[in-house]
Amino acid sequence: MKLSKGIKIATALKYNIDEDDAPKLIGKGKGKVADKILDKAKENNIPIYKDEKLAKQLEHLEIGQEIPQELYEAVAEILIFISDIDSKIK
């Protein structure tokens, strides 16, 4: 999520290590759509990771597109963040 001139941006990624070569963009939106993405994540106990620069880069991808290699490092930080949360829950 990011705020740019007061406009919220949200993106959603999905990654299945057994099926995907790289994480895929499964949702993106600005303003009210961004709010709905965030609300849906909260309803489903999906962790929210805030990174303004990454959100801006991801919003240019098409839905269903794998993230480009140049974003692997940034997205790896998200996967570590989620892994840490998962390990605390278990």
Side-chain angles (χ1 to χ4, degrees):
M1 173 181 79
K2 84 174 196 85
L3 296 174
S4 175
K5 298 180 185 176
I7 299 173
K8 188 180 293 182
I9 295 174
T11 56
L13 297 174
K14 178 183 177 188
Y15 180 59
N16 182 327
I17 196 166
D18 297 324
E19 297 175 9
D20 303 321
D21 293 328
K24 295 178 184 177
L25 182 72
I26 60 166
K28 64 179 181 175
K30 295 180 183 178
K32 290 182 181 184
V33 175
D35 287 334
K36 287 185 180 192
I37 291 169
L38 294 170
D39 289 344
K40 201 62 153 171
K42 290 174 188 171
E43 286 172 18
N44 291 285
N45 295 316
I46 296 170
I48 297 171
Y49 184 88
K50 297 178 182 180
D51 184 324
E52 181 177 333
K53 183 179 176 184
L54 182 58
K56 192 173 186 177
Q57 292 170 311
L58 291 172
E59 76 172 318
H60 297 291
L61 300 179
E62 296 297 323
I63 301 293
Q65 183 178 348
E66 290 184 351
I67 63 161
Q69 221 170 1
E70 58 267 17
L71 297 180
Y72 281 10
E73 188 174 331
V75 173
E77 291 179 28
I78 296 170
L79 297 174
I80 291 167
F81 169 77
I82 292 169
S83 178
D84 287 347
I85 290 172
D86 284 348
S87 68
K88 290 176 185 175
I89 293 172
K90 294 179 181 178

